Amino acid sequence: MQISGQAAVVTGGASGLGLATAKMLQAKGAKVAILDLDPQRPSNDFKGPAFKADVADGAALEAAMKEVEGAVGAPRICVHCAGIGTGRRIVGRDGPMPLADFAQVINVNLIGTFNVLRLAAAAMSRQEPVGGEERGVIVTTASIAAFDGQIGQAAYAASKGGVVSLTLPAARELARFGIRVLSIAPGLFDTALWTQLTEEQQKALTAGQPFPKRVGRPDEFALLCCHIVENPMLNGECIRLDAALRLG
């Protein structure tokens, strides 16, 4: 699918990977709207419509998607980057991890992903296919933690593992509409989650990265999103974007 002229929505679009993707899609000629829990955050320099939305709230996201359609049209491109990354041990010094903490991560990262996917797919399914073939592309965000989860990442790894597992059945089901579904599993990227780590932790993580030995840039994630949109043979796959890093 050609990006130019298409309507697009990016969740988590006010910062990090989402912001870089929204700006790159717009630079390639897409009509882009962003959704974010805090669309006016200081890091957001996106020039386009931005709407507040909690991706884990069914009714709120439905309303926000209607705002998106009113602003840019029914999206044919959806990139879902919204998520949280709370770290906590299963059993810590204060006892077992509160169940509510685990549930919150699953609710935002996994249920939120499905919420975005179902609404974006419904909007795409109502459109005429581009070139008689394709109606839309949905890209979700998993994580290297889905495969190489670390201590303290039980909730996060479980949520992102769910995102990976959702990709193929969603792609198979939505194929009849001409909608492709893929996920990207980023490794170490310069986002808000990365900046929460100490300098010592950052150095230790990148030291084991084969090449390049540096943290990824959000625009490199955006580049892959754009390629996914433009390459119709990509479907039903989770693509690792991690410089060959495998966490021990």
Side-chain angles (χ1 to χ4, degrees), residues 5 15-16 32 44 54 90 141 147 149 154 159 165 177 180 231 234 243:
S15 66
V32 186
N44 182 16
D54 178 353
I90 298 169
T141 305
F147 310 99
S159 70
S165 295
F177 297 114
R180 294 185 288 120
N231 190 332
L234 285 172

Side-chain angles (χ1 to χ4, degrees), residues 167-184:
T167 305
L168 182 57
R172 285 173 165 166
E173 181 176 335
L174 297 176
R176 67 190 181 99
F177 297 114
I179 298 171
R180 294 185 288 120
V181 182
L182 293 102
S183 63
I184 299 174

Side-chain angles (χ1 to χ4, degrees), residues 3 8 35 45 52 55 64 75 89 134 167 184 202 209 246 248:
I3 292 173
L35 297 178
D45 59 353
K52 183 175 182 178
V55 296
R89 289 175 180 257
E134 191 170 12
T167 305
I184 299 174
Q202 291 177 353
Q209 190 163 287
R246 300 294 183 267

Side-chain angles (χ1 to χ4, degrees), residues 76-148:
R76 291 188 183 272
I77 301 167
C78 174
V79 181
H80 174 53
C81 296
I84 59 175
T86 306
R88 192 153 189 172
R89 289 175 180 257
I90 298 169
V91 180
R93 293 176 181 175
D94 300 326
M97 176 183 184
L99 188 58
D101 288 1
F102 185 90
Q104 181 187 27
V105 177
I106 297 296
N107 196 41
V108 174
N109 290 356
L110 180 53
I111 295 177
T113 295
F114 180 77
N115 197 21
V116 170
L117 180 128
R118 73 184 182 98
L119 295 175
M124 292 173 185
S125 70
R126 296 190 293 266
Q127 308 309 306
E128 289 298 317
V130 177
E133 185 175 50
E134 191 170 12
R135 284 188 169 88
V137 185
I138 300 169
V139 182
T140 64
T141 305
S143 168
I144 190 174
F147 310 99
D148 306 331

Side-chain angles (χ1 to χ4, degrees), residues 3-243:
I3 292 173
S4 181
Q6 306 298 347
V9 60
V10 180
T11 70
S15 66
L17 304 179
L19 178 58
T21 302
K23 291 165 71 173
M24 189 172 291
L25 286 170
Q26 191 178 64
K28 287 179 173 287
K31 299 172 288 185
V32 186
I34 66 171
L35 297 178
D36 201 283
L37 199 57
D38 182 12
Q40 304 305 323
R41 66 181 70 194
S43 63
N44 182 16
D45 59 353
F46 173 72
K47 307 300 182 186
F51 305 103
K52 183 175 182 178
D54 178 353
V55 296
D57 185 322
L61 189 62
E62 284 188 46
M65 289 294 281
K66 288 179 181 177
E67 290 185 296
V68 168
E69 289 197 38
V72 300
R76 291 188 183 272
I77 301 167
C78 174
V79 181
H80 174 53
C81 296
I84 59 175
T86 306
R88 192 153 189 172
R89 289 175 180 257
I90 298 169
V91 180
R93 293 176 181 175
D94 300 326
M97 176 183 184
L99 188 58
D101 288 1
F102 185 90
Q104 181 187 27
V105 177
I106 297 296
N107 196 41
V108 174
N109 290 356
L110 180 53
I111 295 177
T113 295
F114 180 77
N115 197 21
V116 170
L117 180 128
R118 73 184 182 98
L119 295 175
M124 292 173 185
S125 70
R126 296 190 293 266
Q127 308 309 306
E128 289 298 317
V130 177
E133 185 175 50
E134 191 170 12
R135 284 188 169 88
V137 185
I138 300 169
V139 182
T140 64
T141 305
S143 168
I144 190 174
F147 310 99
D148 306 331
Q150 301 294 289
I151 291 172
Q153 285 190 317
Y156 185 69
S159 70
K160 293 301 187 178
V163 172
V164 173
S165 295
L166 175 62
T167 305
L168 182 57
R172 285 173 165 166
E173 181 176 335
L174 297 176
R176 67 190 181 99
F177 297 114
I179 298 171
R180 294 185 288 120
V181 182
L182 293 102
S183 63
I184 299 174
L188 309 176
F189 272 75
D190 188 9
T191 64
L193 294 178
W194 176 254
T195 59
Q196 291 173 11
L197 301 176
T198 65
E199 185 177 350
E200 183 179 352
Q201 289 172 322
Q202 291 177 353
K203 287 181 178 179
L205 286 169
T206 53
Q209 190 163 287
F211 182 80
K213 285 186 175 294
R214 60 167 174 81
V215 66
R217 297 187 296 267
D219 64 288
E220 292 167 328
F221 176 91
L223 277 171
L224 181 54
C225 288
C226 290
H227 180 72
I228 286 172
V229 172
E230 294 175 329
N231 190 332
M233 285 302 289
L234 285 172
N235 195 14
E237 183 60 88
C238 177
I239 303 172
R240 292 184 68 135
L241 187 65
D242 57 17

